[in-house]
Amino acid sequence: MGVSGSGKTTIGKLLSERLAWPFFDADDFHPPENIEKMGRGLSLDDCDRQSWLRALRQLLETLQQSQTSAIVTCSALKASYRQFLQEGIIGLHWIYLKGSYQQIRDRLQQRQSHFMQASLLSSQFAILEEPEDAIAIDISQSPEAISTQIIAQISRL
């Protein structure tokens, strides 16, 4: 979890490869109207996020029912979102990819063809409720170092 540009997709795909677990990106679960809204530089509100969160919740329930371990990347910026997603899901562990506003803004400005505009980053930081129950990882390291650190941490859980 983390704000846009924190490396969720890059790290998620790397973990998926290293652990041989399926990978799911929460961006793929947004309805078209959310993507269109963000593409116009408008922030999503809680109402916009409801169908997205329900789709992600259904994914987590399906994974649990099939006893499938997976990597699911999701911004999950508010504690209430994380609580909704996690309630009753056994073995879900939050990894918080943490970086400074400037560090992530620089990354977003280098992105090509992504619906999330760098101008929306301030709204994400404004609603971010840093998790107390997550493994926090400093994103200033290389993706390989980050994935190694995450695997070491989750193997202890």
Side-chain angles (χ1 to χ4, degrees):
M1 63 134 312
V3 298
S4 184
S6 61
K8 296 182 302 290
T9 300
T10 299
I11 301 304
K13 287 179 178 178
L14 191 55
L15 287 169
S16 173
E17 290 171 15
R18 291 184 65 184
L19 296 169
W21 292 356
F23 171 76
F24 300 91
D25 189 327
D27 286 348
D28 297 334
F29 292 79
H30 274 296
E33 54 271 16
N34 283 8
I35 292 172
E36 189 269 332
K37 186 174 182 177
M38 289 184 284
R40 289 186 289 131
L42 300 173
S43 300
L44 299 179
D45 59 28
D46 285 349
C47 186
D48 295 324
R49 290 185 179 98
Q50 288 308 306
S51 64
W52 173 68
L53 288 167
R54 282 192 303 272
L56 290 170
R57 174 66 192 196
Q58 183 160 5
L59 168 67
L60 295 172
E61 290 172 352
T62 299
L63 291 169
Q64 180 169 276
Q65 288 170 358
S66 66
Q67 298 182 351
T68 301
S69 296
I71 304 296
V72 180
T73 61
C74 178
S75 54
L77 299 176
K78 290 186 175 183
S80 61
Y81 302 165
R82 294 187 297 272
Q83 182 179 1
F84 174 76
L85 292 171
Q86 185 163 0
E87 189 172 336
I89 303 296
I90 299 166
L92 187 149
H93 304 289
W94 294 103
I95 309 296
Y96 172 37
L97 298 179
K98 184 176 181 171
S100 71
Y101 177 86
Q102 187 61 47
Q103 181 181 32
I104 295 173
R105 185 165 188 257
D106 290 346
R107 286 182 177 191
L108 285 176
Q109 289 175 331
Q110 295 173 10
R111 266 189 181 173
Q112 301 294 322
S113 67
H114 190 275
F115 64 83
M116 177 68 178
Q117 298 180 15
S119 62
L120 294 175
L121 183 61
S122 60
S123 69
Q124 289 209 329
F125 268 93
I127 68 166
L128 174 63
E129 297 171 358
E130 291 191 339
E132 297 176 10
D133 59 345
I135 298 167
I137 304 291
D138 176 3
I139 64 164
S140 63
Q141 308 166 74
S142 72
E144 292 75 17
I146 291 171
S147 65
T148 297
Q149 188 176 357
I150 291 169
I151 290 170
Q153 293 277 349
I154 62 173
S155 69
R156 294 184 195 127
L157 300 175

